[in-house]
């Protein structure tokens, strides 16, 4: 019986300090549109996912894998937006959460941070497509960054 050789798996960029689920999220993530190259995607771009709650914002930045939490108050959110711009984040993604995201929207616009507020159901379906069934604020932020 003759079998064809199995090609080696594609080399993936290593993801530092991420567990298996986070690494899978990173690999499934998206890339920034480079207008100068006619819509070619830049895989080195930084994206932020922000899980919005009444009192807290859980933040994750890919491809760094850095995660942290800030209070959902105007001053803290303004500082967060400035930090994300300074880190070179090209797009931040947050779920619509019944109005708790309004301060984030205002401060992102003020800081010049591109923010996309998305439908939570679509994000959940995206997470399921990656076989991520757990739902925590920190994990939601990583999924949002990859969305």
């Amino acid at each position: 019986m003759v079998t064809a050789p199995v090609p080696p798996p594609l080399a993936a960029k290593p993801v530092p300090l991420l567990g298996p689920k986070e690494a899978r999220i990173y690999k499934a993530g998206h890339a920034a549109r480079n207008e100068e190259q006619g819509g070619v995607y830049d895989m080195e771009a930084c994206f932020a996912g922000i899980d919005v709650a009444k009192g807290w914002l859980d933040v994750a930045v890919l491809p760094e894998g850095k995660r942290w939490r800030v209070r959902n108050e105007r001053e803290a959110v303004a500082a967060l937006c400035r930090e994300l711009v300074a880190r070179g984040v090209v797009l931040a993604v947050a779920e619509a959460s019944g109005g708790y995201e309004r301060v984030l929207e205002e401060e992102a616009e003020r800081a010049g941070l591109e923010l996309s507020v998305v439908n939570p159901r679509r994000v959940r379906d995206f997470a399921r497509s990656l076989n991520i069934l757990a739902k925590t604020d920190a994990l939601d932020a990583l999924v949002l960054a990859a969305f």
Side-chain angles (χ1 to χ4, degrees), residues 93-97 116-123 144 147:
V93 181
E95 288 179 337
S97 62
S116 180
V117 179
V118 297
N119 182 330
R121 179 165 180 113
R122 290 184 186 251
V123 176
L144 283 164
F147 186 76

Side-chain angles (χ1 to χ4, degrees), residues 46-113:
C46 259
F47 296 94
I50 304 171
D51 186 63
V52 180
K54 183 177 180 179
W56 300 98
L57 301 177
D58 283 283
V59 183
V61 176
L62 291 178
E64 295 174 19
K66 181 157 173 56
R67 296 183 271 182
W68 69 98
R69 177 181 267 195
V70 298
R71 294 192 60 76
N72 195 358
E73 297 173 349
R74 188 164 300 277
E75 298 80 24
V77 173
L80 168 67
C81 291
R82 288 190 302 270
E83 180 178 348
L84 292 177
V85 168
R87 284 177 179 267
V89 170
V90 295
L91 177 66
V93 181
E95 288 179 337
S97 62
Y100 294 130
E101 74 281 357
R102 288 192 186 127
V103 171
L104 176 62
E105 290 174 314
E106 293 167 5
E107 294 303 326
E109 185 175 347
R110 191 169 288 131
L113 175 66

Side-chain angles (χ1 to χ4, degrees), residues 23-46:
R24 187 169 60 240
I25 291 169
Y26 173 70
K27 290 174 189 168
H30 51 113
R33 185 176 202 119
N34 185 338
E35 297 300 331
E36 295 171 1
Q37 297 178 6
V40 175
Y41 289 93
D42 174 13
M43 293 304 290
E44 297 301 318
C46 259

